[in-house]
Amino acid sequence: MTTEATSDSSSPPAPAAALAAAGKVAVKESQSSSSSSSSGSGSDRPIEAATSNNAPTNANNEHDANDKGESSGVEAPAARPKEKEKRERNRRKNANNKTSFGNNKNKHALPDYSTLLPKTQIAATVQAWIDDDMPSFDVGGLVVGTSPKTAQLWMKSTGIFAGKPFFDAVFDCVGCTVTWTKLAAEGKLIKASGSNRALLATVTGPCNSILRGERTALCALSRCSGVATESREAVDTARSYGWDGLVAGTRKTTPGFRIVEKYGLLVGGAATH
């Protein structure tokens, strides 16, 4: 049904169709006994556009505009651009999933963080580790003797390799040399298992010296690699959800191993707090 509203020329009627479509006003129309197309009889009452109690201020502004003789419809407020944001999050998530933990060789191109380590402090720290591990007589060294020997370092589980500076420092302290393979790159994901071991290094020196340093060196290397692996996984998880901020460690470090754990955070791609 088409309804015509009567009004004077100085105050045009509110656009009822636009107001009703926007859901911002209630439209009241009186029943007329005469034909809707008739005019001048006075039987038709004008359409009344009454704003609801919770109507936004833009509807009131529309009435003000009408009072001034302006004619413009009240449009519904634009929806928040959630769809665009959702598409962008999905795009970034898919891009990060393609380069998640261990799937991209170039994603984690890291600087040489070993240059951050103060050599004099590392030497003193390593000496303290060895003294703690062997506070008295070296009974095992007496048994194996001092003949030249070689030992090999094998990786037996998948993870981020980290801690070469500490491994080198331990064996340097006890008079041995370490030769690394090309596979042993700091920050590299190395896939290995008990049945598929990965050769990382060969240690050469007196047998008693190798035995003296091997446990301390392995502890430092394993600890550092473990922290780097967990850090890398945390960073990759954050990136997969679109988080661009820093993933940082805390100050809750292991006494005596603080520098090892902080170094592992950096190699893993995290911040040191």
Side-chain angles (χ1 to χ4, degrees):
M1 180 180 71
T2 304
T3 305
E4 295 181 355
T6 61
S7 62
D8 54 30
S9 59
S10 63
S11 178
L19 292 172
K24 296 296 180 284
V25 300
V27 178
K28 299 180 181 179
E29 179 183 358
S30 63
Q31 297 292 338
S32 173
S33 60
S34 61
S35 172
S36 61
S37 61
S38 64
S39 62
S41 62
S43 60
D44 292 341
R45 297 179 60 187
I47 295 176
E48 296 177 359
T51 58
S52 60
N53 294 332
N54 58 354
T57 56
N58 60 353
N60 295 330
N61 294 337
E62 177 62 23
H63 289 299
D64 295 338
N66 289 335
D67 293 339
K68 296 178 181 179
E70 301 174 1
S71 177
S72 60
V74 177
E75 299 180 357
R80 296 179 63 184
K82 291 183 178 180
E83 291 300 322
K84 184 177 180 181
E85 295 176 3
K86 184 177 180 181
R87 287 195 300 269
E88 179 63 17
R89 285 197 302 268
N90 290 337
R91 184 193 68 78
R92 293 172 62 181
K93 182 176 181 180
N94 293 334
N96 280 286
N97 285 340
K98 293 178 182 179
T99 58
S100 59
F101 183 67
N103 291 335
N104 189 333
K105 295 181 179 179
N106 297 323
K107 181 186 177 185
H108 299 287
L110 300 174
D112 183 9
Y113 286 120
S114 64
T115 58
L116 290 175
L117 300 173
K119 293 184 177 181
T120 55
Q121 180 181 341
I122 296 301
T125 301
V126 166
Q127 185 63 59
W129 292 345
I130 294 175
D131 293 341
D132 181 72
D133 185 60
M134 189 179 301
S136 186
F137 295 118
D138 183 9
V139 178
L142 178 64
V143 173
V144 299
T146 59
S147 58
K149 298 290 181 180
T150 59
Q152 293 180 324
L153 173 66
W154 295 85
M155 193 166 182
K156 298 189 294 182
S157 61
T158 299
I160 302 298
F161 177 71
K164 285 174 67 174
F166 307 105
F167 193 90
D168 285 335
V170 169
F171 280 111
D172 182 67
C173 185
V174 297
C176 298
T177 58
V178 181
T179 303
W180 296 95
T181 65
K182 293 182 179 180
L183 183 63
E186 290 282 84
K188 181 178 181 179
L189 173 70
I190 299 177
K191 297 183 178 181
S193 64
S195 59
N196 185 28
R197 301 181 302 169
L199 179 62
L200 300 179
T202 300
V203 181
T204 305
C207 188
N208 64 333
S209 296
I210 294 175
L211 184 63
R212 185 177 301 168
E214 60 92 16
R215 181 49 48 191
T216 301
L218 286 176
C219 286
L221 191 68
S222 298
R223 183 69 174 173
C224 193
S225 296
V227 172
T229 300
E230 293 295 323
S231 300
R232 181 69 56 81
E233 290 178 350
V235 170
D236 285 348
T237 299
R239 297 292 178 262
S240 69
Y241 284 95
W243 172 254
D244 292 328
L246 295 176
V247 177
T250 71
R251 294 187 299 165
K252 303 176 182 67
T253 55
T254 306
F257 265 68
R258 180 183 184 278
I259 195 167
V260 175
E261 292 167 347
K262 293 293 187 180
Y263 178 82
L265 283 171
L266 291 175
V267 175
T272 59
H273 181 72

